[in-house]
């Protein structure tokens, strides 16, 4: 399932750009692959990331995957509900399962993200 | 052929059934890589090999009365320990990746983790590391991961063998190792507190320390925490029968050598590195961890958990590369602690302290033999100053039938006349008396 | 089953501690004492024996039945090795003895054993010298990479990466990363082996070395191994051999002859020391002549007068990676095993290990897909069929069904480059009857997987627990009973 109005990366992260803020999460494809999540390692508020830096980690009982930053920016908020309920990502990965919000510091970093249609095509080719 | 069940006829039959020859089985190896000239002896029978090894064993002296310690001790091992760990279901099994077939190992490790936590007053323990030295190194790496800093302070009252190991492991890593020099046998507060800053990841201390001296590190723990640094304490598990726990001092990670919990000294191994920490750091802890859960019929079950941090999943981003550890030794420790129990461990620790105190009195009563440190409290080891070179005195004590004690000059400058004496519950009043007489006679 | 703590009865005693025979009892200052005793169990010796006997009955070992865990070499552990390791002349030896003046003379038997084992392993692997210190395979890998780093530093080489195949065991990249290298994964060819032309794209001056096992984790021999090693050597890189799969070639071929500079062995695999439920093992590391200077100290040497001594004076050594001489009692067991097998016995090990694996491969390939249908060495890797997947039967279900047939399952989901991998390593100690029984069981399971999958979904039903909830374990994190 792919949500409209979001931008996507090849590593299955999504970003919702509102002004100069990006809300970030992982896609339905990714959460299905991971299985039931048991833990999310959230980034520290104030930490800066460039595009494709390792920003967070999602863990299931059998595997762990890095979540890469889709934009260049600074973390301004994290979804602390994930600390007690990592499964929010499985249940509602585009909504209440958001991971963190970044203040975009390099507007150009958004350029290489895919739109919903492009991501759909990309998934077909996997 | 030893240990191969199939007879030559059966092998021939199997080859025929799959249409291959013995040479054909190795046809994928280029002929120039096959080796025909292994210069190895012919095989021996069980009887021959037992004779040969008995001869080798006889070339080792084990009838010296042992007053050596330094982190590795001659403690009493109950016969029931061996009965249990020699059960084939325990020692011929492997890593419990299939929980349904390994509830024995898994529950035992869970109980071992629990026992270590209760002993050290910590909240989470792992299934084991190789030994006390690699455990200390892994703890140090853990604090670097947790704090993101790279400076570590270590006092020279910590086991010198472990300090050499840490230096070897960290030579090429970007880690600033600051060593402080112990003050009168105790961790040097003046130097340590002055060095702790906001680049410090951890302070590493030991209790009782290598000299046998007892301490309370609560003040250092507080100072470290104030600057966002962590405290690692390496400890001697038998001493925790009576001594203040590292947990109650404020330690963040506790490590140590578990050999004294039912394992023979065995000339260097296998040993048992234990590690325990606080729940908030559990995801940064290396090694295997067993957790309790339920199966699909709601029965209590145990499984390996938090595996996502380990090498087989995380690979180059793993918390450690450890795979096989010391599982059977962890089982040994659990069995030992269960046999001794709450009272037995306390009594054993008290005996060690009592006998060491008696030995101290007898030995320091010898003219010209003096205690090295003014620090009054020790557990089961203490340092004596002799009127001449300790290494030489020790050689002469060997001739008299004693392995007593350890010449500190090997690791500490300026201590050429000092030796470390260790006493466990196995030493009798008579043996201690004989040591005193022997020492007096060789001086 | 209750936890041992739950069986505790206040006041119950196990071992009777010998009363004190010294006149003084020391009262250590109360600030240094613990407030309350550690809450260890209070049980009688009988209670303890029964508890652990019950636990042992919930465990499965090589002594129980067939244990074909691929990549682990679950061969029979000779009981004479256990007996010898308990000889007081070995068990009661304090490790600090050789550090006393004249102390080396007190431990000549132990030093001789370590020395002779070094020589035997050199001959078996074609290497110039060994360190016995590493206490497990992964520990050996770290040691080997540290030696690699020391070599490059000494030569002023600027090296930043280590190459591993995508089929590598997880400890390989983990060890290289811990030693400070960046790890680059090289894709395998469609034949499942390393292709020299693919590898060439990854070899440059930054490459410190490559970590390989041969046969690889699919059980396939790397026929181009010499070329691969030469390619790495061409940039002054070093070649590292992960000895986990030595059982396939022991007594027939030597990694030193393939072109490997550094080798680690798993004594608890190839050399029959017991697995212990997860250790203790031992992972001695052997090197070629050009790397001898970097081996950890101490090393056992034989003096001109025939006595043995420990040598510490090696200025280029990487230092101490263990407190003493390695897991002595484990090395001792391997020494006994090698002496018993001798030259011929070791050769027969590889021959029968490879025969047993190919026997299983040929007999099962009609029932389970074989991703790489070539001659295998000591292990083979199967997958599940399309039909099985359509029935929602995965490798894990095959594994659980095998338990009800009395067998330990093979390794599943490794190597990751094979979907639904099932890696079977029978080892040479298994009999034809056992293999035939296993094959029959697998064929029956294959049939059920395709025609009556529900029967498999409920497996296992004969074990004390069934399909424990691992997700709940990771979320609840109940890892100690406090």
């Amino acid at each position: 399932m792919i949500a409209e109005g979001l931008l996507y990366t090849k590593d299955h992260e999504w970003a919702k750009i509102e002004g100069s803020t990006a809300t970030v999460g992982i896609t339905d494809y990714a959460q299905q692959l991971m299985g039931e999540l048991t833990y999310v390692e959230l980034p520290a508020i104030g930490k800066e990331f460039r595009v494709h830096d390792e920003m967070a980690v999602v863990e299931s009982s059998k595997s762990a995957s890095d979540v890469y930053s889709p934009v260049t920016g600074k973390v301004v908020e994290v979804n602390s509900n994930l600390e007690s309920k990592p499964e929010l990502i499985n249940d509602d990965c585009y909504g209440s399962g958001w991971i963190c919000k970044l203040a975009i510091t390099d507007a150009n970093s958004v350029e290489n993200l895919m739109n919903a249609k492009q991501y759909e095509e990309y998934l077909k080719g996997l | 052929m030893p240990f191969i069940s199939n007879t030559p006829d059966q092998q021939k039959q199997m080859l025929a059934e799959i249409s291959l020859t013995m040479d054909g089985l190795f046809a994928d190896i280029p002929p120039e890589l096959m080796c025909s000239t292994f210069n190895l002896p012919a095989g021996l029978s069980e009887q021959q090999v037992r004779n040969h090894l008995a001869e080798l064993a006889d070339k080792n002296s084990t009838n010296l009365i042992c007053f050596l310690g330094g982190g590795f001790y001659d403690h009493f091992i109950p016969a029931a320990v061996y009965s249990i760990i020699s059960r084939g279901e325990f020692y011929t099994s492997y890593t419990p990746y299939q929980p349904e077939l390994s509830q024995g190992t898994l529950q035992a490790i869970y109980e071992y983790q629990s026992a270590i936590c209760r002993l050290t007053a910590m909240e989470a323990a792992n299934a084991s590391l190789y030994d006390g030295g690699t455990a200390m190194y892994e703890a140090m790496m853990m604090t670097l991961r947790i704090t993101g800093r790279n400076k570590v302070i270590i006092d020279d009252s910590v086991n010198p063998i472990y300090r050499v190991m840490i230096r070897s492991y960290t030579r090429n890593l970007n880690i600033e190792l600051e060593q402080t020099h112990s003050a009168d046998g105790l961790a040097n507060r003046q130097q340590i507190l002055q060095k702790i800053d906001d680049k410090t990841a951890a302070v590493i201390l030991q209790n009782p320390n290598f000299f046998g001296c007892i301490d309370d590190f609560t003040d250092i723990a507080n100072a470290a925490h104030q600057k966002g640094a962590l405290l690692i304490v390496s400890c001697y598990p038998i001493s925790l029968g009576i001594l203040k726990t590292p947990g109650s001092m404020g330690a963040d990670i506790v490590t140590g050598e578990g050999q004294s919990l039912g394992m023979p000294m065995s000339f260097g191994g296998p040993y048992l590195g234990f590690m325990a920490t606080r729940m908030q750091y559990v995801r940064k802890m290396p090694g295997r961890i067993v957790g309790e859960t339920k199966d699909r019929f709601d029965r209590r079950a145990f499984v390996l958990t938090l595996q996502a941090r380990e090498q087989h999943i995380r690979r180059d981003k793993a918390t450690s590369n450890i795979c096989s550890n010391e599982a059977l030794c962890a089982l040994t420790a659990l069995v030992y602690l269960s046999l001794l129990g709450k009272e037995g461990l306390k009594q054993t620790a008290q005996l060690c302290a009592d006998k060491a105190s008696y030995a101290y009195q007898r030995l320091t009563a010898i003219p010209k033999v003096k205690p090295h440190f003014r620090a009054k409290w020790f557990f089961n080891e203490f340092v004596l100053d002799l009127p001449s070179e300790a290494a030489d005195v020790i050689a002469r004590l060997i001739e008299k039938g004693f392995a007593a004690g350890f010449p500190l000059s090997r690791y500490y400058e300026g201590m050429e006349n000092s030796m470390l004496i260790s006493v466990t519950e196995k030493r009798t009043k008579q043996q201690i008396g004989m040591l005193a007489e022997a020492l007096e006679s060789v001086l | 089953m209750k936890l041992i703590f739950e069986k505790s009865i206040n006041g119950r005693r196990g071992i009777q501690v010998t009363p004190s025979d010294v006149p003084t009892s020391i009262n250590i200052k109360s600030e240094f004492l613990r407030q309350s005793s550690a809450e260890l169990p209070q049980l009688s010796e009988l209670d303890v024996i029964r508890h652990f006997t019950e636990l042992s009955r919930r465990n499965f070992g090589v002594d129980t039945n067939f244990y074909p865990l691929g990549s682990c070499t679950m061969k029979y552990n000779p009981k004479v090795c256990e007996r010898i390791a308990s000889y007081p002349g070995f068990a009661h030896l304090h490790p600090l003895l050789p550090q006393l003046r004249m102390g080396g003379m007190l431990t000549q038997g132990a030093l001789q054993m370590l020395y002779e084992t070094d020589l035997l392993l050199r001959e078996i692997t074609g290497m110039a010298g060994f360190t016995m210190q590493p206490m497990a395979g992964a520990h050996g890998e770290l040691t080997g990479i540290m030696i690699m780093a020391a070599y490059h530093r000494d030569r002023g080489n600027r090296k930043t990466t280590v190459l591993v195949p995508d089929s590598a065991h997880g400890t390989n990249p983990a060890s290289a990363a811990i030693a400070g290298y960046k790890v680059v994964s090289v894709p395998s060819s469609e034949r499942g082996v390393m292709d020299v032309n693919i590898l060439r794209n990854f070899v440059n001056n930054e490459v410190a070395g490559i970590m390989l096992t041969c046969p690889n984790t699919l059980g396939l021999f790397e026929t181009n191994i010499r070329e691969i090693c030469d390619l790495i050597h061409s940039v002054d890189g070093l070649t590292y051999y992960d000895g986990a799969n030595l059982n396939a070639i022991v007594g027939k071929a030597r990694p030193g002859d393939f072109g490997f500079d550094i080798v680690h062995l798993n004594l608890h695999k190839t050399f029959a020391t017991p697995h212990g439920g997860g250790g203790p093992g031992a992972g001695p590391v052997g090197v070629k002549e050009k790397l001898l200077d970097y081996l950890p100290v101490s090393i056992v040497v034989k003096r001109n007068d025939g006595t043995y001594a420990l040598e510490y004076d090696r200025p280029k050594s990487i230092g101490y990676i263990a407190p003493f001489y390695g897991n002595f009692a484990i090395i001792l067991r391997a020494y006994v095993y090698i002496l018993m097998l001798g030259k011929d016995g070791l050769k027969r090990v590889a021959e029968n290990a490879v025969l047993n694996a190919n026997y299983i491969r040929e007999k099962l390939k009609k029932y389970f897909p074989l991703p790489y249908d070539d001659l295998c060495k000591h292990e083979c890797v199967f997958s599940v069929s399309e039909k099985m997947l359509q029935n929602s039967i995965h490798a894990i279900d095959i594994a659980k069904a095998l338990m009800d047939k009395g067998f330990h399952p093979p390794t599943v989901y490794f190597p990751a480059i094979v979907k639904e991998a099932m890696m079977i390593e029978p080892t040479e100690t298994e009999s034809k009857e056992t293999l035939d029984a296993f094959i029959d069981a697998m064929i029956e399971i294959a049939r059920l997987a395709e025609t009556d999958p529900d029967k498999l979904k409920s497996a296992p039903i004969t074990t004390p627990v069934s399909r424990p909830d691992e997700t709940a374990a990771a979320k609840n994190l109940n890892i100690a009973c406090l």
Side-chain angles (χ1 to χ4, degrees):
Chain A
M1 200 249 308
I2 300 167
E4 287 294 330
L6 303 180
L7 297 175
Y8 297 87
T9 69
K10 290 208 164 89
D11 293 307
H12 313 291
E13 291 97 15
W14 58 262
K16 182 169 176 185
I17 314 290
E18 291 162 306
S20 61
T21 306
T23 306
V24 175
I26 62 171
T27 66
D28 188 43
Y29 179 86
Q31 72 78 14
Q32 279 191 48
L33 216 56
M34 288 297 298
E36 191 177 342
L37 293 182
T38 54
Y39 182 73
V40 180
E41 190 180 300
L42 296 165
I45 295 184
K47 194 131 192 254
E48 295 187 36
F49 296 99
R50 285 165 314 177
V51 172
H52 208 259
D53 276 351
E54 288 158 22
M55 186 176 65
V57 183
V58 291
E59 265 184 43
S60 66
S61 68
K62 288 295 190 196
S63 67
S65 265
D66 293 306
V67 178
Y68 300 96
S69 184
V71 300
T72 297
K74 187 169 168 176
V75 178
V76 294
E77 207 184 323
V78 298
N79 184 357
S80 44
N81 290 331
L82 293 177
E83 273 160 29
S84 54
K85 288 180 158 240
E87 66 270 19
L88 282 173
I89 295 182
N90 296 111
D91 299 335
D92 187 16
C93 57
Y94 299 112
S96 55
W98 64 278
I99 295 177
C100 63
K101 294 190 197 219
L102 292 121
I104 303 172
T105 53
D106 177 6
N108 293 332
S109 65
V110 179
E111 269 163 26
N112 290 321
L113 297 173
M114 295 181 271
N115 62 31
K117 199 125 181 93
Q118 290 167 323
Y119 181 59
E120 197 172 347
E121 283 306 308
Y122 170 66
L123 284 183
K124 288 204 184 109
L126 285 178
Chain B
M1 274 293 125
F3 315 122
I4 288 174
S5 301
N6 286 332
T7 63
D9 277 347
Q10 284 179 305
Q11 294 167 31
K12 277 204 200 76
Q13 189 191 345
M14 288 167 71
L15 284 167
E17 283 181 37
I18 60 173
S19 310
L20 278 168
T21 61
M22 198 52 94
D23 282 342
L25 285 175
F26 291 86
D28 51 355
I29 302 184
E32 65 271 17
L33 295 183
M34 296 290 271
C35 178
S36 54
T37 57
F38 283 95
N39 184 13
L40 293 166
L44 298 176
S45 71
E46 178 174 328
Q47 188 182 339
Q48 287 172 313
V49 92
R50 276 163 73 165
N51 288 343
H52 172 58
L53 269 298
E55 272 172 30
L56 280 187
D58 272 344
K59 292 185 190 172
N60 299 323
S61 304
T62 48
N63 52 7
L64 296 176
I65 303 176
C66 184
F67 286 91
L68 278 179
F72 309 89
Y73 303 95
D74 179 22
H75 283 289
F76 175 70
I77 301 173
V81 170
Y82 186 69
S83 299
I84 290 168
I85 65 169
S86 62
R87 294 184 73 89
E89 297 90 337
F90 281 132
Y91 81 88
T92 70
S93 66
Y94 200 23
T95 306
Y97 288 128
Q98 293 289 357
E100 290 95 337
L101 293 179
S102 15
Q103 287 300 293
T105 298
L106 287 165
Q107 181 170 334
I109 295 176
Y110 178 86
E111 292 175 355
Y112 158 81
Q113 287 166 192
S114 307
I116 293 292
C117 288
R118 291 171 179 225
L119 201 56
T120 57
M122 301 296 282
E123 295 164 353
N126 69 14
S128 75
L129 297 160
Y130 308 129
D131 80 303
T134 51
M136 187 184 282
Y137 153 75
E138 291 274 15
M140 185 188 75
M141 298 307 284
M142 194 172 147
T143 62
L144 304 188
R145 280 196 291 277
I146 293 169
T147 62
R149 302 174 181 181
N150 74 337
K151 176 173 153 183
V152 174
I153 301 167
I154 187 165
D155 192 84
D156 74 1
S157 57
V158 169
N159 189 318
I161 296 172
Y162 293 171
R163 285 184 285 117
V164 174
M165 283 170 69
I166 287 186
R167 277 203 293 279
S168 303
Y169 281 116
T170 55
R171 208 175 277 183
N172 308 305
L173 303 178
N174 183 19
I175 296 173
E176 204 188 310
L177 263 184
E178 289 246 22
Q179 187 164 283
T180 56
H181 185 60
S182 56
D184 194 36
L186 295 174
N188 189 329
R189 262 75 173 168
Q190 206 202 18
Q191 289 181 6
I192 293 169
L193 296 178
Q194 187 249 329
K195 284 184 191 294
I196 298 178
D197 59 16
D198 53 18
K199 292 214 298 277
T200 308
V203 180
I204 304 179
L205 299 172
Q206 179 178 320
N207 192 53
N209 63 30
F210 188 71
F211 307 123
C213 300
I214 301 172
D215 203 341
D216 179 351
F217 300 135
T218 309
D219 57 334
I220 300 179
N222 291 336
H225 294 152
Q226 260 172 36
K227 288 278 167 71
L230 301 175
L231 175 64
I232 297 171
V233 176
S234 174
C235 61
Y236 176 8
I238 298 283
S239 76
L240 291 176
I242 54 177
L243 292 188
K244 184 169 185 172
T245 62
S248 61
M249 291 178 196
D252 300 287
I253 309 174
V254 179
T255 60
E257 176 51 63
Q259 173 267 324
S260 50
L261 300 177
M263 280 144 265
M265 297 183 292
S266 218
F267 204 58
Y271 290 154
L272 171 66
F274 62 86
M275 178 187 280
T277 188
R278 310 211 170 273
M279 271 318 271
Q280 68 193 106
Y281 302 127
V282 75
R283 289 195 140 75
K284 302 281 194 257
M285 184 164 64
R288 296 193 174 131
I289 300 176
V290 173
E292 185 177 335
T293 185
K294 290 202 184 291
D295 79 341
R296 60 195 185 99
F297 296 120
D298 232 31
R299 292 178 290 201
R300 172 188 253 164
F302 297 93
V303 291
L304 288 177
T305 193
L306 291 189
Q307 290 183 73
R309 314 151 300 128
E310 292 187 65
Q311 50 79 24
H312 57 290
I313 289 174
R314 211 70 175 105
R315 296 171 75 86
D316 56 322
K317 296 184 187 146
T319 45
S320 166
N321 67 342
I322 193 164
C323 185
S324 290
N325 42 88
E326 303 287 327
L328 196 70
C329 299
L331 174 66
T332 307
L334 172 67
V335 173
Y336 174 86
L337 288 171
S338 304
L339 287 167
L340 252 60
K342 179 174 172 176
E343 281 311 306
L345 185 70
K346 187 168 161 185
Q347 282 183 318
T348 300
Q350 190 63 50
L351 278 172
C352 290
D354 290 345
K355 297 198 183 205
S357 168
Y358 176 68
Y360 179 89
Q361 281 168 25
R362 286 297 306 265
L363 296 174
T364 53
I366 299 170
K368 297 190 250 169
V369 174
K370 305 210 181 322
H372 182 85
F373 297 115
R374 280 168 302 155
K376 191 167 175 242
W377 302 102
F378 54 85
F379 176 57
N380 74 332
E381 286 177 289
F382 49 87
V383 180
L384 296 177
D385 280 347
L386 306 169
S388 55
E389 200 203 8
D392 180 56
V393 172
I394 288 164
R396 286 192 261 141
L397 283 172
I398 289 174
E399 285 166 24
K400 297 246 169 201
F402 296 91
F406 188 72
L408 287 164
S409 59
R410 201 174 166 94
Y411 295 109
Y412 295 93
E413 255 182 67
M415 293 186 86
E416 286 69 36
N417 291 2
S418 305
M419 72 173 178
L420 181 70
I421 299 270
S422 168
V423 187
T424 69
E425 77 284 7
K426 273 179 75 172
R427 297 290 75 84
T428 63
K429 178 177 172 208
Q430 193 189 31
Q431 288 171 337
I432 294 169
M434 282 161 56
L435 174 64
E437 281 164 25
L439 180 56
E440 187 157 18
S441 75
V442 303
L443 286 178
Chain C
M1 192 183 152
K2 282 193 178 160
L3 292 176
I4 198 164
F5 303 100
E6 291 164 344
K7 297 179 178 176
S8 188
I9 302 279
N10 234 346
R12 195 166 283 183
R13 292 299 303 270
I15 297 299
Q16 300 301 313
V17 176
T18 312
S20 179
D21 60 352
V22 295
T24 43
S25 181
I26 184 86
N27 289 321
I28 294 174
K29 185 162 83 154
S30 66
E31 294 93 280
F32 287 144
L33 298 178
R34 63 186 300 155
Q35 306 275 37
S36 55
S37 306
E39 285 299 327
L40 295 171
Q42 300 181 68
L43 298 162
S44 67
E45 186 171 323
L46 176 59
D47 293 333
V48 175
I49 290 282
R50 286 208 174 135
H51 178 79
F52 288 101
T53 302
E54 168 76 44
L55 281 183
S56 77
R57 292 170 54 159
R58 292 171 158 232
N59 236 35
F60 187 109
V62 173
D63 283 2
T64 316
N65 203 345
F66 189 44
Y67 206 132
L69 260 194
S71 168
C72 296
T73 313
M74 304 299 295
K75 67 170 77 179
Y76 175 67
N77 309 125
K79 303 315 174 199
V80 62
C81 298
E82 299 308 304
R83 171 68 75 94
I84 289 173
S86 72
Y87 286 174
F90 297 123
H92 295 175
L93 219 51
H94 196 292
L96 283 175
L97 280 173
Q99 296 187 29
L100 307 183
R101 189 169 295 169
M102 307 311 292
M105 296 318 293
L106 303 172
T107 58
Q108 285 294 296
L111 296 178
Q112 181 176 343
M113 188 284 291
L114 290 170
Y115 180 81
E116 288 185 9
T117 307
D118 178 354
L119 261 47
L120 288 167
L121 294 180
R122 288 184 207 181
E123 189 58 31
I124 289 170
T125 56
M127 307 307 283
F130 268 83
T131 170
M132 312 305 286
Q133 279 194 8
M135 295 175 274
H139 200 199
E141 291 173 39
L142 180 59
T143 306
I145 301 292
M146 284 166 71
I147 289 172
M148 195 184 277
Y151 169 83
H152 287 303
R153 248 189 342 270
D154 207 17
R155 287 169 77 77
N157 290 342
R158 213 192 79 84
K159 301 287 197 183
T160 55
T161 58
V162 166
L163 304 177
V164 301
D166 56 4
S167 57
H169 189 264
T171 49
N172 293 172
S175 304
I178 284 163
Y181 284 110
K182 182 156 125 36
V183 177
V184 175
S185 183
V186 180
S188 303
S189 70
E190 355 62 73
R191 279 197 56 243
V193 292
M194 180 147 289
D195 183 318
V196 179
N197 293 318
I198 296 177
L199 177 61
R200 222 182 288 278
N201 296 326
F202 291 84
V203 176
N204 54 47
N205 285 324
E206 303 263 322
V207 170
I210 192 167
M211 297 175 82
L212 287 169
T213 185
C214 181
N216 67 16
T217 56
L218 295 165
L220 304 172
F221 192 84
E222 299 278 5
T223 42
N224 294 320
I225 191 65
R226 270 243 70 125
E227 241 188 296
I228 292 169
C229 290
D230 288 343
L231 185 51
I232 301 295
H233 288 144
S234 72
V235 294
D236 199 21
L238 294 173
T239 49
Y240 180 95
Y241 178 78
D242 177 335
N245 292 324
L246 191 74
N247 216 44
I249 58 170
V250 66
K252 308 283 278 188
R254 313 189 317 174
D257 298 338
F258 299 169
F260 284 101
D261 303 304
I262 312 171
V263 157
H264 92 258
L265 301 173
N266 299 67
L267 298 188
H268 48 294
K269 295 187 180 184
T270 322
F271 297 97
T273 75
H275 287 84
V285 167
V287 296
K288 286 280 169 70
E289 182 123 17
K290 70 184 183 192
L291 299 173
L292 285 174
D293 285 343
Y294 308 107
L295 284 175
V297 286
S298 52
I299 304 268
V300 182
V301 297
K302 191 169 181 177
R303 292 188 282 221
N304 291 334
D305 63 1
T307 59
Y308 300 90
L310 290 165
E311 201 170 83
Y312 294 90
D313 185 15
R314 302 214 162 185
K316 293 194 179 179
S317 163
I318 58 171
Y320 282 75
I321 54 115
F324 298 105
Y325 327 107
N327 273 351
F328 179 82
I330 304 301
I331 300 161
L332 177 60
R333 288 169 168 87
Y335 172 71
V336 172
Y337 176 76
I338 295 170
L339 289 182
M340 287 189 69
L341 257 53
K343 177 169 164 173
D344 264 346
L346 283 171
K347 188 165 73 131
R348 305 275 175 240
V349 163
E351 287 174 355
N352 282 279
V354 175
L355 170 56
N356 285 356
N358 279 287
Y359 183 75
I360 289 182
R361 186 181 59 84
E362 282 296 325
K363 297 250 169 168
L364 283 182
K365 65 193 224 186
K366 282 201 295 290
Y367 304 94
F368 291 93
L370 204 51
Y372 302 98
D373 190 3
D374 287 325
L375 183 70
C376 67
K377 297 256 70 67
H378 65 315
E379 60 194 8
C380 51
V381 180
F382 287 94
S383 184
V384 300
S385 69
E386 272 311 309
K387 187 95 207 294
M388 292 175 192
L389 283 176
Q390 277 160 23
N391 288 340
S392 292
I393 295 294
H394 297 120
I396 192 73
D397 302 301
I398 308 290
K400 303 301 182 193
L402 270 170
M403 294 180 192
D404 285 335
K405 301 272 187 193
F407 298 110
H408 193 286
T411 299
V412 290
Y413 301 108
F414 177 76
I417 58 172
V418 172
K419 282 215 144 26
E420 305 291 336
M422 293 181 290
M423 192 195 320
I424 301 174
E425 180 185 355
T427 84
E428 75 284 1
T429 54
E430 297 299 333
S431 68
K432 181 176 183 297
E433 313 88 78
T434 304
L435 299 183
D436 286 336
F438 173 75
I439 288 162
D440 287 342
M442 285 290 275
I443 292 172
E444 172 66 14
I445 291 170
R447 190 184 66 78
L448 288 173
E450 298 197 339
T451 61
D452 194 358
D454 286 336
K455 278 232 174 68
L456 297 185
K457 277 290 177 195
S458 60
I461 52 177
T462 58
T463 51
V465 303
S466 180
R467 311 230 185 197
D469 187 344
E470 301 193 9
T471 302
K475 286 172 80 171
N476 299 334
L477 275 191
N478 172 354
I479 58 176
C481 166
L482 295 178

